[in-house]
Amino acid sequence: MTTASRTDSGFDFRLVVIAVAGGALSGFFGVGGGILLVPMILLFLAPARKVAHATSLGAIIALSFAGMVGFAMSDRVDWVVGVTLGAGGVIGGALGAQLMDKLSARTLRLIFAVVLVVAGVRMLF
Amino acid sequence: MGSLLDVVLGALIGVVAGLASGLAGIGGGVIMVPAMVFVLDFPQHLAQGTSLLAIVFTSAAGTVVNRRNSNVDVRLALTIGAIGALAAFAAARLANLVDADALRQMFGGFILLAGVRMLVQTLRGETPAKE
């Protein structure tokens, strides 16, 4: 826990703002919310990149679960596909960790960035 | 509920999304939701709800590994998780009131911004550190 950003009275208001913003993004769009949480944690709460990433991912367990319940209440969760997606994601994540040194992260990021832009435009219009 | 083809395609989408987050540092959700919409022909809301279920598993698995490497600030993660979960639940209920076309368009705007930001960062050489 960082103490530098905390006042003696104990509570860091920025923490609440960050948590609410991350949670709202996650629940509204059905994503983890790391895209917002990681830079905000990095900037205000934990300056080490690895810690910011890992702490964000830990919080995302709770965010994604709560958001999932919110969608399930309207019967908008496909349980079978969700579990296989999750299993694939765990395998892909482990594979990614193995391949990390063999592939160029820069090239991959460029490819995925273009994929996002194209998908975004198609969904918008 | 999903057909066999959906399940197989779902697993493949999961692997790609997992690779994307493991290798390129981008979250799985921004890949999985559009993939479900375009490949599985899921309605926007179903894609988002299903994405969240998948993320419960991937974030839990990732956190097991991160805990072993003691990179997790547990108190901070629990605090953000607890407060954020309330916001996530409320936002999810709100999203379920939004018309599917409008939600898809908002989501499109969101990933378009995310993609442009990622392009700019990567071209500038600001690739985030890998875990």
Side-chain angles (χ1 to χ4, degrees):
Chain A
M1 205 81 183
T2 54
T3 45
S5 61
R6 213 153 289 272
T7 55
D8 285 332
S9 57
F11 211 72
D12 190 338
F13 186 65
R14 290 174 302 183
L15 182 64
V16 180
V17 176
I18 291 169
V20 169
L25 185 82
S26 169
F28 194 79
F29 286 130
V31 299
I35 202 165
L36 195 83
L37 282 177
V38 172
M40 304 254 268
I41 292 175
L42 207 49
L43 198 59
F44 297 114
L45 303 172
R49 200 169 264 284
K50 278 191 170 178
V51 175
H53 270 276
T55 303
S56 161
L57 197 64
I60 286 171
I61 303 172
L63 305 193
S64 56
F65 184 81
M68 184 270 287
V69 171
F71 276 88
M73 283 168 68
S74 293
D75 208 15
R76 279 159 163 169
V77 176
D78 187 318
W79 302 99
V80 178
V81 171
V83 170
T84 48
L85 259 179
V90 172
I91 292 166
L95 253 158
Q98 299 293 314
L99 292 173
M100 200 139 79
D101 300 326
K102 298 189 178 74
L103 291 168
S104 157
R106 186 171 189 274
T107 309
L108 280 167
R109 282 182 63 81
L110 285 176
I111 292 170
F112 282 119
V114 171
V115 169
L116 287 184
V117 170
V118 171
V121 169
R122 269 195 68 179
M123 292 173 108
L124 253 176
F125 303 106
Chain B
M1 290 290 125
S3 69
L4 183 62
L5 183 63
D6 282 2
V7 169
V8 174
L9 288 173
L12 284 175
I13 293 168
V15 171
V16 173
L19 281 170
S21 60
L23 284 167
I26 59 171
V30 290
I31 299 287
M32 289 191 286
V33 172
M36 277 185 270
V37 169
F38 291 125
V39 180
L40 302 183
D41 214 14
F42 272 26
Q44 185 69 25
H45 288 92
L46 186 65
Q48 292 190 191
T50 305
S51 161
L52 286 168
L53 174 59
I55 293 170
V56 173
F57 295 111
T58 54
S59 56
T63 300
V64 170
V65 177
N66 290 335
R67 279 277 283 155
R68 220 175 283 148
N69 302 330
S70 37
N71 284 323
V72 187
D73 184 330
V74 176
R75 249 187 81 187
L76 187 56
L78 284 173
T79 313
I80 296 175
I83 300 168
L86 298 174
F89 177 76
R93 295 309 300 149
L94 179 68
N96 276 285
L97 300 175
V98 176
D99 167 74
D101 286 336
L103 188 63
R104 196 194 63 243
Q105 287 179 324
M106 285 187 263
F107 186 91
F110 163 59
I111 61 169
L112 177 59
L113 283 177
V116 169
R117 174 172 161 267
M118 207 169 132
L119 262 181
V120 172
Q121 278 184 341
T122 310
L123 291 174
R124 276 187 185 160
E126 300 166 11
T127 306
K130 292 178 284 181
E131 292 306 296

